[in-house]
Amino acid sequence: MEKYHKQLTQVFRNVFQNNAIEITRSTTAADIDQWDSITHLDLITATEESFSIEITGFDVMGLKNVGDLLDLITRKLED
Amino acid sequence: MITIRKAQQSDCSFLASIILLAENTGNEITAYTKMFNKTNEELLPIFEKIINNETQGHPLAYKSFLIATENGVPASAFAIYKEGEFGDSNHLTTGALMTGFDRKSMATAFGFLKNNSELGLTKKINTLQIDCVATLPEYRGKGMLRQLMHAAEQDAKMNQINELQIQVWKKNEGAIGAYSKLGFKIEEEKLSHSEKENGKVLMIKNI
């Protein structure tokens, strides 16, 4: 299992208030009902808080799926 | 002479005015002026900065725009993008807005959207989305929208896209009529809770 995957899963479950949510690298907004533009900002903010990182607008524009978000978290924490 | 071309970085000022003009028909329940509680004059330089980015796949990037010019002068424009090609276009738009507004303004703006969340229409993956449509007032009635739409359809065909989608406000009967004449049909409506006779309308055209 990928590093940070478990922690990010918990972020998703908290934001979408659904403990059944499972995420993979290929998960996109199309796979999670409530993942719209409004909750996306909540998700970004919750990810920043959980991992103690700062995510910029340019970072967000580079995210196509959960895998990209995991890679971003890894870069922010390990670079 | 009317010419259609892709937008360049030097068009950002014009495109910012188009984005704001597209949202000021008087029929909008949600608009950037309402979301961010700012005037068009205050928003103009912010959006000029926001759309000056190299990303694609959403409406707040200059590369997404097609422009109609008359004798070389930009007069009309709209954004086109294949939904899902670079990720969810609404999420990319959120990122673009974050480059121009601080987090407190973003939270306020998205709180406003949350209060109108019943208006959300789903953009179908792999469709060509048409967004931020506007013509400068002095150039209206010259058939620029028709020529832009023809160029958009050619672009869609080249990219094996067989459906165009556009969202309009229900009260904007002029726009709905114009798109109907161009072959669009109403596919779905989401009515507002706050303004009973208004809402969002999804129009589609199969090509």
Side-chain angles (χ1 to χ4, degrees), chain A:
Chain A
M1 191 57 70
E2 191 164 0
K3 213 172 174 183
Y4 311 125
H5 179 272
K6 189 176 172 187
Q7 190 175 339
L8 187 61
T9 300
Q10 196 54 52
V11 170
F12 271 75
R13 289 176 178 179
N14 291 343
V15 168
F16 296 109
Q17 297 177 351
N18 179 354
N19 282 330
I21 284 181
E22 297 290 346
I23 54 172
T24 68
R25 287 191 62 85
S26 62
T27 300
T28 68
D31 302 312
I32 297 176
D33 278 347
Q34 293 166 292
W35 192 359
D36 57 18
S37 57
I38 300 168
T39 49
H40 193 52
L41 186 65
D42 295 336
L43 181 67
I44 295 299
T45 304
T47 302
E48 289 180 318
E49 288 170 359
S50 177
F51 290 93
S52 298
I53 57 174
E54 188 179 335
I55 299 175
T56 70
F58 288 104
D59 291 330
V60 174
M61 286 193 284
L63 302 176
K64 197 170 179 179
N65 52 32
V66 167
D68 289 339
L69 182 56
L70 280 166
D71 292 342
L72 178 68
I73 293 165
T74 304
R75 279 202 310 277
K76 296 268 179 187
L77 290 174
E78 298 181 7
D79 276 3

Side-chain angles (χ1 to χ4, degrees), chain B residues 53-192:
Chain B
N53 68 76
E54 297 296 319
T55 65
Q56 295 179 77
H58 64 101
L60 296 183
Y62 75 86
K63 286 184 175 175
S64 297
F65 280 83
L66 285 178
I67 294 179
T69 65
E70 185 177 73
N71 300 323
V73 181
S76 181
F78 58 52
I80 55 170
Y81 49 92
K82 184 178 179 181
E83 180 59 38
E85 186 176 8
F86 298 93
D88 183 289
S89 67
N90 288 333
H91 294 185
L92 298 171
T93 302
T94 300
L97 290 171
M98 285 170 65
T99 67
F101 295 96
D102 62 32
R103 218 38 102 74
K104 192 178 167 195
S105 300
M106 288 293 292
T108 304
F110 278 65
F112 177 80
L113 288 181
K114 211 170 272 186
N115 290 335
N116 292 282
S117 59
E118 75 276 10
L119 296 168
L121 286 163
T122 303
K123 297 175 178 175
K124 194 158 70 171
I125 299 280
N126 293 334
T127 55
L128 190 81
Q129 297 291 319
I130 298 166
D131 217 331
C132 304
V133 184
T135 301
L136 298 180
E138 59 269 37
Y139 292 99
R140 288 176 188 162
K142 297 188 173 196
M144 289 187 168
L145 177 62
R146 181 173 291 277
Q147 293 199 36
L148 280 167
M149 201 62 81
H150 177 73
E153 288 182 21
Q154 296 305 310
D155 190 276
K157 284 173 185 167
M158 270 175 45
N159 289 289
Q160 286 81 49
I161 300 171
N162 57 19
E163 184 175 322
L164 277 61
Q165 294 197 337
I166 190 163
Q167 295 185 17
V168 290
W169 291 100
K170 187 175 171 63
K171 278 177 78 175
N172 193 351
E173 292 171 2
I176 292 173
Y179 298 133
S180 296
K181 281 183 185 170
L182 293 170
F184 283 79
K185 290 186 168 52
I186 293 176
E187 172 80 0
E188 189 182 354
E189 287 185 0
K190 291 279 178 85
L191 289 176
S192 164

